[in-house]
Amino acid sequence: MKTLHYYIRIYFMIISRYVKTRMEYRADFIISMVGIFFRDILGLAGLWIIFGSIPQLKGWSLNELIFLYSFSLLAMTPLQIIFDNIWGLRHYLIDGSFVKYYFRPLNTMFYFMSERLDIKGFSQLGLAITGLIYSSVKLGIDWDLQKLFLFGIMFFSSALIMISLMVLAGATGFWVTNSFSVLEFTLKVKDFARYPTTIFTGIFHVIFSYIIPVGFVAFYPLQAILRPEEAGQLYLLTPIMGVGMFAFTCFVWERGVKSYSGTGS
Amino acid sequence: MRKYLAITKNMFQTAIAWRFHFFMTSFSNIVFLVFLYFLWGAIFESSETGVIRGQTFEQVFIYMAIVSSVVVLFKTYTEWEISNKIIDGNIIMHLIKPMDIQLHYFFQGFGIVLFNLITITVPVMIVLYLVWGDHLNGGTALLWFALSALLAYLISFLFDFITGVVSFYTESIWGISIAKETIVLFFAGAVVPMSFFPESVQKVLAYLPFQAIYHTPISLLTGDHAVGEILSSLGVQLLWVIVLGVISRLFYNRSLKTVTVNGG
């Protein structure tokens, strides 16, 4: 079993090579950062416009929604920066070059994802943190040690859920080859995390809470921080959801890898 | 015999791959519509009168539902096609071919639009008309809508084309494509309805081409419009088609001259 230390060393070796090559494409780098910035800021603008006409959404104020939005962005950042290669998976599967990942003594998902570090994701990180600070100040949140600890755990768990959703979507490629439409579907759905899950009723509330658990990305965990009196026990499930989903994702990935090599390229 | 069967199998698998893609895209659109239904339902719950900016929940939801279906309709990834050809150098092929490059990509994209129309947009429209028919205009309004949508697609295509051509300068397309997409959708009333924007902003937006892509054609399906008003809206769209058409051609020709093609 390879040690963690070994994997960390290898990771930095691989990404530093990658970052050096990407830095040559300066224009691409800057434009991508700007692109992400526009996408994220217009999302906020949309919220701001909606709240120009209503006082609250399912009882939540604009600043709470900004907090929710920024937290979702933050939860998405590890996915964006570290796991972005999932969008490229279909190209490797279609032309067969994916086999190269079998030949090294490295975990295939690790090796595959390490080949791409998405630097523009840092632009998203910047906006997320800004939004969190802004709304946190506006809401007058008292950040004691307990809250910070809770925030840290929730962030880690939510990030795992986001990563799991996308990697699972991409992993369908092992069976359907071109998983692009599944990835695009998941891209749309993950944005549902920005809103209180209480907007959904009935079967859809169940689906978006427990089956495609966008509710556990931001709403349920943040209830514990923003509205501790109302929160109940549900937020405690968040780390379980995160770790559980990620374990499931790794399992599906391994099955996919086996299945793909079985059918050949 | 085997090689012919291989070709058939290949085509079949290609067809299946495409069918999966369109099924998934339809499904994705439907899920998004469900989301819109709940989101706007919740928004309208917070309004005491049930009317926001002069519109009811049904009006806004139907509008947003049609908008999102038209957004899917117009998504042809043309800018990606063009950009990839520029980046790998194959754009050279278009200089050799006798066909005009814009026409080539227009018709290619139009093929995708037709497929999207049949598999996604029409089914959604049918359901909307069946359930909320009294909120929608029928008859001649649909014909005006079709005409307006065609003009709208032209504008959307020209935006995509220009975006694709930008890769002559930037070597990549993702950032610009995302920026274009989000800006166009936002200012075209596809994320929040036009009526929600502050009055001053709406006035400015009236001078920009974005709303000609989504707001103009779709608004023909709701509310009452005098023929004169419809004609002037179509006229504005046509104007944008001409303006953007000219800009895109000039830009393309200019870019071709300053090109450095990868791989010679």
Side-chain angles (χ1 to χ4, degrees):
Chain A
M1 217 43 250
K2 296 287 184 289
T3 64
L4 186 63
H5 181 242
Y6 172 78
Y7 272 99
I8 293 177
R9 251 182 39 215
I10 296 262
Y11 189 71
F12 279 103
M13 251 170 63
I14 297 177
I15 62 172
S16 62
R17 249 191 309 152
Y18 176 80
V19 171
K20 283 198 194 100
T21 20
R22 292 311 292 176
M23 284 309 250
E24 284 167 21
Y25 292 91
R26 281 285 155 78
D28 164 48
F29 173 64
I30 296 173
I31 290 167
S32 296
M33 300 266 271
V34 171
I36 280 218
F37 177 75
F38 267 112
R39 184 188 69 184
D40 295 339
I41 203 105
L42 285 178
L44 274 174
L47 273 181
W48 184 73
I49 291 191
I50 291 174
F51 274 83
S53 299
I54 56 169
Q56 40 81 8
L57 185 67
K58 285 293 184 185
W60 284 50
S61 66
L62 174 61
N63 288 319
E64 286 173 312
L65 268 263
I66 292 178
F67 195 89
L68 217 59
Y69 180 88
S70 308
F71 187 80
S72 311
L73 278 190
L74 187 72
M76 210 179 108
T77 313
L79 162 68
Q80 181 74 48
I81 296 178
I82 305 173
F83 286 83
D84 201 42
N85 211 13
I86 191 66
W87 288 88
L89 181 65
R90 66 189 190 278
H91 297 124
Y92 289 92
L93 292 178
I94 291 173
D95 69 20
S97 54
F98 188 75
V99 284
K100 83 174 190 188
Y101 297 106
Y102 295 108
F103 298 139
R104 296 279 174 87
L106 282 175
N107 174 279
T108 47
M109 195 199 287
F110 171 84
Y111 188 9
F112 181 73
M113 296 302 174
S114 64
E115 298 232 301
R116 186 175 159 80
L117 188 79
D118 196 54
I119 303 173
K120 63 183 185 285
F122 284 103
S123 158
Q124 190 174 318
L125 182 67
L127 197 73
I129 293 178
T130 309
L132 281 171
I133 295 177
Y134 171 84
S135 51
S136 164
V137 165
K138 282 279 181 162
L139 289 168
I141 300 178
D142 178 26
W143 288 105
D144 55 23
L145 215 56
Q146 189 192 31
K147 273 218 170 85
L148 282 169
F149 181 69
L150 195 61
F151 184 87
I153 301 238
M154 293 305 155
F155 161 67
F156 182 71
S157 315
S158 302
L160 283 178
I161 297 177
M162 280 286 201
I163 290 168
S164 305
L165 286 172
M166 276 304 220
V167 174
L168 276 173
T172 57
F174 287 118
W175 292 278
V176 298
T177 313
N178 196 335
S179 53
F180 184 69
S181 48
V182 187
L183 283 167
E184 292 245 302
F185 167 70
T186 311
L187 197 69
K188 266 196 167 122
V189 172
K190 69 151 178 47
D191 283 348
F192 298 175
R194 302 169 169 178
Y195 301 95
T197 316
T198 40
I199 61 174
F200 296 108
T201 58
I203 183 82
F204 294 104
H205 184 84
V206 173
I207 293 175
F208 292 113
S209 296
Y210 304 105
I211 301 177
I212 306 181
V214 290
F216 279 99
V217 169
F219 184 67
Y220 294 128
L222 292 184
Q223 266 187 320
I225 294 178
L226 296 177
R227 293 183 168 214
E229 338 76 53
E230 292 179 11
Q233 312 283 2
L234 204 55
Y235 71 97
L236 292 169
L237 270 179
T238 313
I240 300 173
M241 273 287 186
V243 174
M245 277 202 79
F246 190 66
F248 178 67
T249 305
C250 292
F251 170 73
V252 171
W253 177 276
E254 290 300 323
R255 286 293 286 258
V257 166
K258 277 207 190 72
S259 159
Y260 178 74
S261 63
T263 52
S265 30
Chain B
M1 189 62 200
R2 278 187 74 177
K3 58 185 180 204
Y4 293 123
L5 282 179
I7 295 175
T8 306
K9 183 181 172 201
N10 194 41
M11 267 328 288
F12 190 62
Q13 281 176 332
T14 311
I16 290 195
W18 274 92
R19 268 181 41 200
F20 175 74
H21 170 87
F22 284 111
F23 163 73
M24 200 63 218
T25 313
S26 306
F27 180 69
S28 173
N29 191 39
I30 293 170
V31 170
F32 191 69
L33 292 182
V34 167
F35 164 71
L36 283 179
Y37 181 81
F38 284 110
L39 176 67
W40 287 98
I43 292 173
F44 272 85
E45 246 180 58
S46 322
S47 137
E48 284 165 3
T49 58
V51 175
I52 303 179
R53 302 273 187 164
Q55 295 187 295
T56 63
F57 163 70
E58 283 82 11
Q59 288 175 310
V60 172
F61 169 67
I62 292 166
Y63 175 83
M64 295 303 293
I66 300 179
V67 163
S68 90
S69 307
V70 175
V71 168
V72 170
L73 180 69
F74 289 168
K75 203 157 161 72
T76 56
Y77 298 99
T78 299
E79 73 272 31
W80 285 90
E81 284 274 315
I82 296 174
S83 168
N84 288 335
K85 285 265 163 33
I86 291 174
I87 292 175
D88 65 24
N90 286 331
I91 195 78
I92 296 281
M93 302 304 289
H94 287 288
L95 300 175
I96 304 173
K97 283 187 197 157
M99 194 192 221
D100 177 79
I101 188 176
Q102 275 192 318
L103 283 177
H104 168 90
Y105 282 111
F106 175 76
F107 281 105
Q108 191 174 306
F110 198 69
I112 300 178
V113 168
L114 283 178
F115 208 116
N116 285 339
L117 185 69
I118 300 168
T119 55
I120 301 166
T121 314
V122 166
V124 169
M125 298 286 263
I126 291 177
V127 170
L128 286 174
Y129 266 85
L130 283 175
V131 181
W132 287 282
D134 25 311
H135 286 98
L136 291 160
N137 299 336
T140 47
L142 284 169
L143 291 170
W144 287 121
F145 169 71
L147 186 57
S148 183
L150 184 62
L151 288 169
Y153 172 61
L154 274 163
I155 299 174
S156 172
F157 164 76
L158 287 168
F159 261 106
D160 286 354
F161 185 82
I162 293 172
T163 307
V165 172
V166 172
S167 356
F168 269 121
Y169 301 96
T170 61
E171 299 269 323
S172 102
I173 187 71
W174 190 87
I176 301 184
S177 176
I178 276 284
K180 171 207 73 116
E181 199 174 308
T182 47
I183 292 173
V184 167
L185 287 177
F186 187 76
F187 291 111
V191 174
V192 205
M194 270 305 180
S195 52
F196 274 66
F197 284 95
E199 289 286 328
S200 49
V201 176
Q202 285 190 47
K203 283 203 180 68
V204 173
L205 290 179
Y207 289 100
L208 297 174
F210 308 119
Q211 63 173 18
I213 303 177
Y214 296 110
H215 179 77
T216 305
I218 295 167
S219 60
L220 290 179
L221 292 175
T222 60
D224 302 308
H225 303 275
V227 178
E229 189 192 325
I230 298 178
L231 287 175
S232 84
S233 298
L234 290 174
V236 169
Q237 284 184 301
L238 190 60
L239 188 65
W240 281 114
V241 170
I242 296 172
V243 167
L244 287 172
V246 168
I247 293 178
S248 63
R249 289 192 87 81
L250 287 175
F251 184 43
Y252 175 67
N253 289 326
R254 195 32 152 43
S255 310
L256 219 46
K257 293 199 181 83
T258 49
V259 76
T260 43
V261 178
N262 288 333

